[in-house]
Amino acid sequence: MKHRIWALLPFFVFLVFFAGAGIISNDFYSMPAYVAFIIALFIAFLQNRRMSFDEKLKIVAKGTGDVNIITMVLIFLVAGAFSGIVSAAGGVESTVNLGLSFIPANLMVVGLFVIGCFISLSMGTSVGTVTALAPIALGVATQTGFPVAVCVGATVCGAMFGDNLSIISDTTIAAVRTQGCEMRDKFKQNFFIVLPAAVITIIVFLIRTSSLTASTDVGSYNFIEVIPYLVVLIGALIGLNVFLVLFIGIVLSMIVGIYNGSFTFMESFGIIGEGMTSMFEISIISIIVACMVSLIKENGGISLIIDTIERTVKGKRGAELGIGILVLLVDLCTANNTVAIVMAGPVAREIAEKFGVSRKRAASILDIFASVGQGIIPYGAQLLTAAALVGISPIEIIPNLYYPFLMLICVLLFIFFRPQKGGRD
């Protein structure tokens, strides 16, 4: 199929409408993201007149039926259910107050980042980590007076750290498999690139929160109300499936809420339903994005990016940078770092072999650049989930995402200044 630059038009239409409306009105709530995406999807349907509308619908249906999309939507709904019931049972407030009774208020934001790192390493999913910690981040903001965006930003930063390194993360597995290297080799290579970014992120959050006034008025807590969150966090740390962890959390929250008189058995189902309803918008957005990406891919937009990068690569360092830019651009268009790695991986391997880039190095660069993109785009699952759970705009979170930007700086330094070694792994 002939490549056409206009295949990417729907993506740019979304950016113009969503970001443009926010900039003009100075309010990023002025245009809901799903409205901008619907407009972009309409543009995608108008393209490629050689295909009938029914044929385009079949392509869209196939895209929305992808296992990653279905899994993501189900996680959103279960996450909303858990968030609603655990809050109603008093779990969030008690958990935050318990934390504040042991940890100084000015260290709570750093604590969110560190805990997020450990949970995402163990769970292997950044969305699952955001789901577990975002309500706590909101509680920390409420109790300490720190901006919600700062607390949630720390949570997302921690989630992206582990997602990029966890040996059970789908992005890590995809990077290793497409490049044909050993998991332990990729982990070692990756760890030493991103560790400086994580350390600097901790320092930045310490400096950032030290200049803010934190409340020292710690409220009371009921340890029984903390149990559902402890079970969820421990389950995440030991690597249980995200669905199993959240279902256990929902059941325990129901028991605790009924026990302490927060709600009755029948009322609990209404609360769970309200929690799921709060995630309908993000679920619809995910489906619309999948529709749009399917048509962009069918019209040659993704393959145009891949072929352009492949043709312009020169030299070993250029090859490494090309691999990074390739997967970053694909991620920006697909809003899914795993899909981006799977799509760009085979081409990245060809580039790596042609220019003598080791397999572990190529896998590491693939995963890091994909995580950078996924960690900062306002229409990605991570920021959309965090924003939906705490009730703010994804745009407000971006200025506080220090880790993804520092990760980008570190990987660029790694590419341009680390001594090059010959041979392949």
Side-chain angles (χ1 to χ4, degrees):
M1 181 172 54
K2 205 173 181 181
H3 298 154
R4 296 180 175 88
I5 187 66
W6 54 259
L8 297 172
L9 180 62
F11 174 70
F12 294 109
V13 167
F14 163 74
L15 290 179
V16 168
F17 275 89
F18 182 63
I23 293 172
I24 293 172
S25 64
N26 198 29
D27 176 15
F28 282 96
Y29 291 98
S30 61
M31 175 174 286
Y34 57 85
V35 174
F37 273 121
I38 279 290
I39 295 172
L41 178 60
F42 178 73
I43 297 298
F45 269 113
L46 291 178
Q47 295 179 305
N48 196 355
R49 295 183 179 180
R50 290 179 300 176
M51 294 180 61
S52 67
F53 183 74
D54 287 340
E55 288 175 321
K56 293 174 184 177
L57 280 178
K58 291 179 181 178
I59 292 170
V60 161
K62 186 177 180 180
T64 54
D66 181 84
V67 64
N68 291 308
I69 302 301
I70 297 301
T71 301
M72 188 163 57
V73 171
L74 289 176
I75 288 177
F76 291 156
L77 296 177
V78 178
F82 172 68
S83 177
I85 194 69
V86 75
S87 297
V92 174
E93 184 178 353
S94 284
T95 300
V96 172
N97 288 336
L98 175 63
L100 287 172
S101 66
F102 290 100
I103 303 174
N106 61 341
L107 295 180
M108 284 298 290
V109 174
V110 173
L112 286 170
F113 171 68
V114 174
I115 293 171
C117 291
F118 280 110
I119 290 179
S120 53
L121 271 171
S122 304
M123 188 183 283
T125 164
S126 51
V127 175
T129 302
V130 170
T131 297
L133 281 183
I136 292 182
L138 178 60
V140 169
T142 302
Q143 292 294 96
T144 62
F146 290 144
V148 175
V150 173
C151 296
V152 177
T155 298
V156 175
C157 286
M160 296 314 300
F161 174 85
D163 189 58
N164 176 240
L165 284 173
S166 175
I167 62 173
I168 60 173
S169 168
D170 49 2
T171 58
T172 299
I173 293 170
V176 168
R177 287 182 177 176
T178 58
Q179 301 311 298
C181 67
E182 293 292 330
M183 179 70 75
R184 63 177 180 273
D185 294 332
K186 185 265 182 190
F187 178 86
K188 292 176 183 177
Q189 181 90 91
N190 220 14
F191 180 76
F192 289 108
I193 297 174
V194 301
L195 180 61
V199 172
I200 297 172
T201 298
I202 291 175
I203 295 172
V204 171
F205 275 123
L206 281 172
I207 295 173
R208 176 75 192 277
T209 54
S210 66
S211 63
L212 299 173
T213 302
S215 170
T216 56
D217 183 19
V218 180
S220 61
Y221 63 87
N222 183 342
F223 187 76
I224 293 178
E225 295 173 351
V226 178
I227 291 176
Y229 249 120
L230 287 178
V231 171
V232 167
L233 297 181
I234 292 172
L237 285 171
I238 63 177
L240 292 180
N241 179 276
V242 61
F243 286 109
L244 178 60
V245 168
L246 291 174
F247 274 122
I248 292 174
I250 290 170
V251 173
L252 287 176
S253 297
M254 288 177 66
I255 295 172
V256 170
I258 294 170
Y259 172 79
N260 65 17
S262 297
F263 45 76
T264 65
F265 177 72
M266 293 306 299
E267 287 174 343
S268 67
F269 294 105
I271 294 169
I272 290 173
E274 290 175 4
M276 295 176 71
T277 302
S278 70
M279 302 301 284
F280 283 179
E281 180 177 333
I282 182 179
S283 300
I284 293 299
I285 288 174
S286 300
I287 293 171
I288 296 173
V289 169
C291 294
M292 189 177 74
V293 169
S294 299
L295 292 174
I296 290 175
K297 182 180 178 181
E298 179 68 23
N299 292 334
I302 305 298
S303 57
L304 173 62
I305 293 173
I306 292 174
D307 288 352
T308 301
I309 296 293
E310 192 175 21
R311 287 196 304 268
T312 55
V313 165
K314 294 180 181 179
K316 193 170 184 178
R317 296 187 194 277
E320 293 176 357
L321 182 62
I323 290 171
I325 294 175
L326 167 64
V327 73
L328 178 62
L329 290 176
V330 175
D331 181 71
L332 293 179
C333 291
T334 60
N336 188 308
N337 46 345
T338 303
V339 172
I341 291 172
V342 170
M343 293 178 67
V347 178
R349 185 167 182 172
E350 288 181 13
I351 294 173
E353 290 179 351
K354 182 177 179 180
F355 291 93
V357 178
S358 69
R359 293 176 182 178
K360 65 181 181 182
R361 197 173 173 112
S364 182
I365 291 172
L366 260 181
D367 202 357
I368 291 174
F369 271 92
S371 294
V372 168
Q374 194 66 26
I376 62 176
I377 53 177
Y379 50 91
Q382 290 73 10
L383 289 188
L384 286 175
T385 303
L389 287 172
V390 302
I392 63 175
S393 168
I395 302 296
E396 295 180 61
I397 304 173
I398 293 176
N400 303 289
L401 299 177
Y402 305 116
Y403 178 71
F405 291 108
L406 286 168
M407 185 165 50
L408 177 60
I409 293 172
C410 286
V411 73
L412 290 175
L413 292 174
F414 172 79
I415 290 173
F416 289 108
F417 296 102
R418 186 172 183 271
Q420 298 281 351
K421 295 180 181 179
R424 298 181 177 88
D425 292 25

